[in-house]
Amino acid sequence: VQPTSPLRRMLENTNQEHLSVSSGQIEAKFSSGVLTHICNIGDKETESCQSVHQEWGYYTSFDSTKHAKSKDDTQNSGAYIFRPSDPKQELQKLAPDPSKSFVYKSDLVTEVHSTMEGGWIQQISRIFSGGDYVEVEYVVGPIPIDDGLGKEIVTRYGCPSIENGGTFYTDSNGREFMRRQRGYRPTWNLTEYQLVAGNYYPINAAIYIEDDNLAMSIAVDRSQGGGSIIDGSIEVMVHRRTLVDDFRGVNEPINETDAGMTHYPPYGDAKRIGNGLVISAKHRLSLSSGRKGASISRSLMDGAFSEPLVFAASSHKNVDFRKAEFYAIDSSFKLPKNIMLITLDQIASTAASQTLLIRLGHQYGEGEDGTLSKAVDIDFKDVLPAYEIQSITERTLSGNQDLIEREKKRLRWKEAAADTADGVRKDSIRDGKITIHPMEIRTFHVIVGI
């Protein structure tokens, strides 16, 4: 898509302390380059403006040579252990530098560039035309260690209006969302010693908080850790650098550098060379009405985690791009919003036919959305209208076995009364049509004529 203005991007101004950016769906407000409010302007009936702020900071890493209160307190923060120097430590915040805030604007996107104090954290907040989320791309590092302290770098998104009561939700490997409760474990009575680290959980795709009125979601582009340490907020750890080993097996701190290290003894002193690592990644932040945290997370997470890879190269010839768009399947058919084409691959061919591996997945869980959490009927004739479909067989998730034959051989427990006698699901393939239920992934071999 080409912008209508002659410039791809235009520097609108610099050092602007207060700024409002509209996408047509939301309005984001910034101060010194950092988000302060999000307003829903796309729907007149639900139009509202909420305080939504972002902060950067760090926890200092526990080092038993500096922070231990007894000789037995030896568990350092390291590769396998996250432990702040104080169990109740508050986030050491880094303020934005107003003199390094810039705004770039085009017809497609507005970018707000900002830098935190110290200069080793920079970010770009993007608001896309027509979009309903704020994308935050950040660059962090090298983490300074001149003070002799390791640091665990965190960004915190806060919406004080959300009264989540210590409850938040993280995904389980991109599938079901798991309910988390601060200071609580569902299967045993917890005695809490680490108020921060003890309430961090893995985030593979998204994390959200909600109440009856509002919901806030953060979608990540890689696995990270985070939690809701303070009500009305989500914090995500994005980078770490420690100076002591945590005695869990690797026998070295997380002090990785860009030039490697010298040899281990007896051939060297295992000293790190160069500067600390610099990382970059993205978050997508969205705000919605109450009890819709899972729904807005689902709408963001696959796009955030699996962005298209765009390649560009120079050419000595004028390349005639005859197609401005690309479709993996026929452009006349659009998959339902809650169905994802996970795999489309040719795995075999003959002179007369091709065998396609097709994997379809339902993106929503039960009860997460009033409409999108329902089962969906798919007709392969719609998915592949240009092909003559000769046969369709369902496979196991990995695709290496026939599902019906595998089900017949599967060990069946007597307690599994819900299992059918032959192990074949009742809603399998019906004249080229299938039904995909919430959170289900189904895999098929489809043979088509050439």
Side-chain angles (χ1 to χ4, degrees), residues 370-381:
T371 301
L372 299 176
S373 287
K374 296 178 180 179
V376 179
D377 293 328
I378 299 292
D379 190 337
F380 276 102
K381 295 177 182 178

Side-chain angles (χ1 to χ4, degrees), residues 158-198:
C159 181
S161 298
I162 299 179
E163 299 177 356
N164 60 308
T167 300
F168 57 102
Y169 298 82
T170 62
D171 69 289
S172 177
N173 203 27
R175 303 309 292 164
E176 298 282 4
F177 276 100
M178 309 296 292
R179 183 182 186 272
R180 312 296 192 183
Q181 182 67 41
R182 191 169 62 242
Y184 171 77
R185 301 294 185 270
T187 55
W188 78 91
N189 294 325
L190 175 67
T191 301
E192 195 171 31
Y193 297 102
Q194 295 292 328
L195 303 185
V196 177

Side-chain angles (χ1 to χ4, degrees), residues 112-187:
V112 182
H113 294 232
S114 56
T115 300
M116 305 305 117
E117 62 178 290
W120 51 276
I121 298 178
Q122 301 94 35
Q123 73 173 29
I124 303 172
S125 300
R126 295 188 179 96
I127 294 86
F128 296 92
S129 178
D132 59 357
Y133 61 87
V134 178
E135 180 178 274
V136 178
E137 181 174 7
Y138 50 86
V139 178
V140 179
I143 299 173
I145 53 173
D146 298 342
D147 55 3
L149 298 174
K151 296 173 181 65
E152 327 267 353
I153 313 306
V154 166
T155 186
R156 178 184 289 166
Y157 302 90
C159 181
S161 298
I162 299 179
E163 299 177 356
N164 60 308
T167 300
F168 57 102
Y169 298 82
T170 62
D171 69 289
S172 177
N173 203 27
R175 303 309 292 164
E176 298 282 4
F177 276 100
M178 309 296 292
R179 183 182 186 272
R180 312 296 192 183
Q181 182 67 41
R182 191 169 62 242
Y184 171 77
R185 301 294 185 270
T187 55

Side-chain angles (χ1 to χ4, degrees), residues 266-281:
Y267 307 105
D269 56 1
K271 183 179 179 180
R272 286 287 176 183
I273 306 171
N275 299 314
L277 295 186
V278 177
I279 63 96
S280 64

Side-chain angles (χ1 to χ4, degrees), residues 176-345:
E176 298 282 4
F177 276 100
M178 309 296 292
R179 183 182 186 272
R180 312 296 192 183
Q181 182 67 41
R182 191 169 62 242
Y184 171 77
R185 301 294 185 270
T187 55
W188 78 91
N189 294 325
L190 175 67
T191 301
E192 195 171 31
Y193 297 102
Q194 295 292 328
L195 303 185
V196 177
N199 291 292
Y200 260 58
Y201 289 85
I203 308 169
N204 299 120
I207 177 174
Y208 69 87
I209 57 175
E210 64 181 5
D211 62 15
D212 291 337
N213 301 308
L214 289 169
M216 181 173 68
S217 171
I218 307 296
V220 300
D221 68 348
R222 66 203 62 203
S223 294
Q224 296 175 324
S228 178
I229 308 303
I230 300 173
D231 280 353
S233 72
I234 294 172
E235 62 182 62
V236 182
M237 185 181 295
V238 303
H239 199 4
R240 309 177 69 204
R241 192 177 186 184
T242 67
L243 302 181
V244 288
D245 181 42
D246 62 359
F247 311 117
R248 296 286 168 151
V250 297
N251 198 32
E252 62 178 288
I254 315 177
N255 186 21
E256 296 172 303
T257 52
D258 55 13
M261 63 188 302
T262 61
H263 292 294
Y264 276 84
Y267 307 105
D269 56 1
K271 183 179 179 180
R272 286 287 176 183
I273 306 171
N275 299 314
L277 295 186
V278 177
I279 63 96
S280 64
K282 295 178 182 179
H283 291 160
R284 289 184 178 178
L285 164 65
S286 185
L287 200 67
S288 184
S289 54
R291 303 302 171 191
K292 288 189 176 181
S295 180
I296 59 173
S297 297
R298 297 290 184 193
S299 69
L300 292 177
M301 51 197 278
D302 288 318
F305 195 83
S306 301
E307 278 194 316
L309 298 177
V310 180
F311 297 90
S314 59
S315 174
H316 297 294
K317 298 180 180 180
N318 291 326
V319 180
D320 183 16
F321 290 101
R322 298 184 182 276
K323 291 185 177 181
E325 298 173 323
F326 168 77
Y327 294 91
I329 58 179
D330 194 282
S331 60
S332 63
F333 172 73
K334 291 186 178 180
L335 283 170
K337 291 179 65 176
N338 49 0
I339 299 297
M340 181 180 185
L341 178 64
I342 300 174
T343 306
L344 174 59
D345 191 16

